[in-house]
Structure formats: structure tokens, C-alpha cells
Amino acid sequence: MRQFSITRLEASAGETVRAYLSSVNNDFPIPLTQKVDLAEYAAKVLSRGIALAIYDGREIVGLAAGYVNDAIGLSAYLSVLSVSKEHRGRGLGSALVRAFEREAVSSGMERLMLNTHESNVAACSLYEGMGYKTDGARDEIGNLEYSKRLVWLTPDKPNILLSSAGRRTYLVDWLRDALGGIGEVHASNSDSSGAALVAADKGVVSPLIYSDEYIPFMLDYCSRERIGAVVPLFDVDIPVLAAHRAEFEAIGCFPVVAPDDFAKSCSDKLATSKLLAAAGIPCPETYVGAQGFLDAVECGETSFPAFIKPRWGMGSIGLAEASNEKELDVLCGIVERKVRKSYLRYESSSDAPSRGVVVQPRLDATEYGMDVYCDLSGRYRGCAVRKKVAMRAGETDIAEVVDADPRFERLARTIARLSRHPGCMDVDIFDVDGELMVLEMNARFGGGYPFSHAAGVDMPRALVSWLRGEECDPDALTVKWPGTYMKDMAIVKSGN
């Protein structure tokens, strides 16, 4: 595919800009000439703003122009975006927007605003796919106003909060290194014994996630402690934060969580299987309770042995294997009781107790873990793949980091498009006779990420770059040293 470069036009390029805009004038729902004098506009935007052009040879085939001089509101404005008809469908429009975003950030802007006519479906889809939001209000001629926060870690909000941080002290260290002394890493946990509370620059004990006090506490803490981003590390925390995304963004704090619907689907293994199946992604059959699995066995859909696990939350709370009907009945009852005695009882309360357990057939397959890396708009940026060698307490203890073959790359891109999840997503995969099947998706840094980090990936550094409105080094998201890695133990002195 031909590579197109983006050029910032000089102030003397007024006639070039006027000529291009004249050639695409009628491509806009409302022709530009009905709103502005093209020559005057070209001269004004080049003297007071910026214009970025994509050339095919000597011919301009795309243009983004606007203003980056709002010293008070720190909001840039994209006034024109155009790609000539014969060059559409190549990603040039999104490339121009991203280039304009970088120019805006380098000029000290923290937000980008734009508008487009409601009938311009392609433009609306482009902007929304890049993270731009609108309240749906239209002006007198039918224009929708879109905006996007470009910078979240600012001098006023330089800090990051790891919520439900538990024992993830290594993420505290890696994020602190990525911040480079500009900003602090804070940690919250509902249990005061979380080691990350001690390792962080500042630790705080929060209310329980399902408490009515949890979100008000978190919002107050983020405002008071100048938190620019919240990174949750616990499955049940994610849908709660996702449901309150707008409240965090309103105080200038970016919650690094998936969209609300996807976050809910990830927390419910039955919903996960339905979502994957609807997207055409192979996944194991998932049945609710012992009877659901036995009915499937009777009609020949599946067979023993079977895995029993909680429908909501992490499988390590209650994971069992049954080889026959009698074992299945007993073990499903045991897992149900474990669920009712654990934090999972809150999520499981949305359905009958007998529906809080799912059963899946055991697959004779090689098991992998895969990180899917996306920027803050949910755009795919890379992946890392690990073959699971040994497990302990539901997490990978030894793993071989391998080069991702094209099957994993395709799957990672598909999951990124499905999820629009910012940051790191942990995916459990079975390789069944060459077919990749997705078992679970954890919309967070998973327990397997340290293996990827040891192999040369630096997702914390990439995340900090994006939160600062900067482009990350592409090398930060590539595996450099494939090989087998083992987890070790570290002892942290209690703050008591």
C-alpha cells in the first residue's frame, strides 16, 4: 500500500489551500462557499492556525485545518477536514485528525473541538470511532458539535490512581518509572492489607466497591489528590467505574475502562460467550448450572469432563473439574456456596443462586494468555502472547513469551474493534487443533502482564504517553526477548 506523508503548510500556501478547498467544495453537506470566502479563510487559518496536507505527488488529496491558539480555554478547533473522493477508505482522514491532535497538544491545547453536519454519517462515524463525543444537540443548520479531551495528565492533574490495587506493587513501580518524576502513583484498596498501598506514593483504604459510598469517595479523592487517570486492577471494579465514566471525566479524570456494555459482558462469563459467538469469535460452549450442562450431554452437544466456575468474577474463587454427573452435582453446589460467601455474591445477586455457576467442557488444547494493547480511543496498537506453562491459584506462574503468529494478530485486532477498550486487556485463549478459541476477556492489566513486561513490553510507559497527549514509542509495545519466564516473590514491609 502506498505511504502518504502529512505536511504542515507554510503561511505562503494560501492559494494552494484555496484551490484544494474549491475542488472539494461540493463534497460537504453544506458547500464551504455558502459559509466562507475560501481565499479569506485560507489566509486566516494559515496566519492564525495550522493546515496539514496529504499529498499524492504534487497534488493535495487531504487537508485538516483549524486553530490552536486558545490560551485561556486550551481548546483547539478543527474547522475543516477533507479527503478527496478517490482517496477515501485508506485511513487518511483519521491520520489527518491524529496529526492535528498532535499539533494541538504541542501547542499547549488540552481539548479538540469540531462540528460536522448530522447528515455526514461517514464523518460522524469517524469522529466517534476516535473517541469524540457529542451531546446530540444541533445548531440551526443541523451541525453536531464534537469534542475530545486530548490530555489527561496535566500540571493540575499529574497523578495516577490504581484502584483495587491489591498486591500489584510491580505496576506501582513501572508507572512511577513511566511518570519520570512528574506526578505520583496512588493506590486504593478496600482491604488495608493490600501491599500496593505501602508501595505507592500514597495509599488509601476505600469503601467496598458495591457500597453506595464507593463512587462519591473515589470522585472526591480524585479531585482532592489531583488524579488525572484511574486504572482499575480488579474485575468487579471495572463495570462499576465504567458506569460512572462521565462523572470522572467531568472532573478531569480519565477512567481507563472499557465502554459500559463491554465491561458488563466481560464480568459475566455467560454474556462473554454470547458476545464472542455473535462476533464470530470461536469460544467454548457455556452452560448455566449442572442441569444446563447435563441437558447438553443428553442431546449430544457436549461431553465430560467439565469445568465448573463462577459465572461472575474470577474463576480462582471456585474452579473445579467434574468427570461425571455425580461429581458435577456436588461440585456445582460447592462452587455456589463459595460464591455466596465471597465478594461475588453482589454480582451474583442479579440472578438466581443456581444460575451463578457456569459449566464448560474441558478442551484438550494448548492454553495461551494474550495482552491486547489499545490507545485511549480504543484503537489497536499491539499484542503480546504467552504460552501458559504452569498455573497457581488461578494465575500463570510460569509462561513462555512467544512471537505472535498471524492468527493471534488477527484475533487481537478483532477483539480491539469489538471492545474499544483503552489500555491493556488480558485474554485467555485455547489453541484447539490450530483454531484459536477465546475463553475469557479481562478488561484490565492481567496477572500475566509481568511476563510481557519482562520480555520487553512497556505498556505503562505507553499509557502515560497517551494520557499526556503524546504518541508512544511503537517499540514500547513489542516483544523484544521471547523466552520462558517465572514469577518470583517479593516481601513488602507493612506500613504498620
Side-chain angles (χ1 to χ4, degrees):
M1 182 182 291
R2 176 181 293 179
Q3 297 294 314
F4 295 88
S5 60
I6 297 176
T7 302
R8 180 168 176 169
L9 299 177
E10 301 291 338
S12 58
E15 176 54 28
T16 301
V17 172
R18 186 210 63 78
Y20 173 75
L21 293 178
S22 179
S23 70
V24 297
N25 181 54
N26 293 320
D27 292 350
F28 293 88
I30 300 175
L32 292 175
T33 51
Q34 293 186 19
K35 298 187 288 184
V36 296
D37 178 279
L38 296 184
E40 290 180 0
Y41 170 77
K44 179 181 177 182
V45 78
L46 288 168
S47 63
R48 301 182 185 178
I50 58 173
L52 306 174
I54 292 182
Y55 282 86
D56 185 359
R58 294 188 174 183
E59 178 187 7
I60 291 182
V61 297
L63 182 76
Y67 303 94
V68 293
N69 54 1
D70 180 4
I72 298 175
L74 303 181
S75 293
Y77 181 71
L78 179 63
S79 56
V80 169
L81 176 69
S82 170
V83 175
S84 58
K85 288 182 178 179
E86 60 272 22
H87 286 81
R88 293 175 187 170
R90 305 184 187 183
L92 302 187
S94 58
L96 280 166
V97 174
R98 286 193 292 270
F100 195 90
E101 289 175 351
R102 290 193 292 271
E103 292 283 351
V105 171
S106 67
S107 298
M109 303 294 104
E110 295 181 1
R111 182 181 297 276
L112 179 57
M113 304 180 70
L114 56 91
N115 63 58
T116 191
H117 198 269
E118 60 183 342
S119 65
N120 196 343
V121 177
C124 293
S125 177
L126 169 69
Y127 297 135
E128 289 168 12
M130 296 185 71
Y132 286 82
K133 298 178 181 178
T134 177
D135 62 6
R138 295 154 175 79
D139 65 15
E140 64 277 4
I141 59 174
N143 283 325
L144 290 166
E145 185 176 274
Y146 283 89
S147 67
K148 177 181 175 180
R149 180 78 174 258
L150 304 177
V151 182
W152 293 94
L153 293 181
T154 69
D156 290 335
K157 298 269 189 176
N159 304 323
I160 291 178
L161 171 64
L162 295 176
S163 69
S164 301
R167 297 181 297 172
R168 304 289 171 86
T169 58
Y170 49 82
L171 276 175
V172 172
D173 294 336
W174 294 337
L175 280 167
R176 185 184 286 122
D177 289 344
L179 288 172
I182 305 174
E184 301 171 338
V185 178
H186 293 224
S188 68
N189 208 60
S190 59
D191 183 347
S192 62
S193 64
L197 299 182
V198 179
D201 294 304
K202 186 171 184 179
V204 63
V205 178
S206 73
L208 292 173
I209 293 169
Y210 290 107
S211 164
D212 291 339
E213 300 172 358
Y214 181 66
I215 290 299
F217 174 89
M218 295 293 281
L219 289 168
D220 176 71
Y221 186 86
C222 289
S223 294
R224 183 164 32 87
E225 297 295 335
R226 304 164 65 201
I227 304 295
V230 178
V231 181
L233 302 179
F234 190 37
D235 294 276
V236 298
D237 200 9
I238 294 166
V240 175
L241 292 176
H244 295 272
R245 174 192 298 276
E247 295 166 64
F248 283 91
E249 291 188 355
I251 63 170
C253 179
F254 184 79
V256 185
V257 293
D260 189 23
D261 289 347
F262 186 81
K264 290 177 181 175
S265 293
C266 283
S267 69
D268 179 349
K269 294 178 181 61
L270 181 61
T272 298
S273 67
K274 292 179 179 178
L275 178 68
L276 291 169
I281 299 173
C283 59
E285 292 293 337
T286 302
Y287 305 94
V288 178
Q291 193 58 52
F293 186 81
L294 291 174
D295 291 343
V297 170
E298 185 174 345
C299 65
E301 285 183 10
T302 190
S303 61
F304 285 99
F307 274 117
I308 304 110
K309 58 182 71 172
R311 177 176 164 185
W312 286 273
M314 298 179 292
S316 57
I317 287 293
L319 181 62
E321 182 178 350
S323 57
N324 55 55
E325 180 176 346
K326 184 176 181 180
E327 290 180 0
L328 182 67
D329 284 333
V330 172
L331 291 171
C332 278
I334 291 173
V335 173
E336 286 177 17
R337 287 195 295 275
K338 285 185 177 180
V339 167
R340 289 196 294 271
K341 291 180 180 179
S342 74
Y343 64 85
L344 296 180
R345 65 185 181 277
Y346 297 107
E347 289 191 327
S348 300
S349 64
S350 63
D351 209 332
S354 61
R355 293 181 59 81
V357 171
V358 294
V359 184
Q360 296 172 326
R362 189 184 74 182
L363 300 176
D364 293 323
T366 303
E367 190 171 356
Y368 290 87
M370 180 171 70
D371 296 329
V372 179
Y373 308 124
C374 295
D375 62 20
L376 300 190
S377 297
R379 182 168 63 102
Y380 175 76
R381 304 301 292 271
C383 69
V385 179
R386 305 172 297 271
K387 179 192 281 189
K388 298 184 180 183
V389 178
M391 303 288 291
R392 182 182 300 183
E395 285 202 353
T396 308
D397 202 41
I398 304 175
E400 179 187 0
V401 181
V402 300
D403 291 322
D405 67 43
R407 298 175 304 155
F408 287 99
E409 180 78 22
R410 288 193 296 270
L411 178 59
R413 289 182 179 276
T414 300
I415 290 173
R417 287 193 296 271
L418 176 67
S419 68
R420 307 302 297 178
H421 174 265
C424 181
M425 173 179 289
D426 179 58
V427 184
D428 291 329
I429 299 168
F430 285 142
D431 186 346
V432 184
D433 298 326
E435 179 182 54
L436 299 183
M437 301 184 71
V438 174
L439 180 64
E440 292 183 15
M441 297 182 292
N442 303 301
R444 55 174 171 79
F445 279 99
Y449 173 75
F451 297 104
S452 302
H453 198 89
V457 175
D458 197 344
M459 183 58 185
R461 190 170 302 277
L463 183 60
V464 167
S465 294
W466 296 328
L467 289 167
R468 287 175 172 168
E470 304 164 355
E471 186 52 55
C472 81
D473 180 356
D475 195 47
L477 299 178
T478 59
V479 170
K480 303 172 188 64
W481 311 294
T484 301
Y485 294 85
M486 299 179 290
K487 282 186 178 176
D488 196 2
M489 290 182 64
I491 305 299
V492 178
K493 185 178 185 300
S494 169
N496 297 329

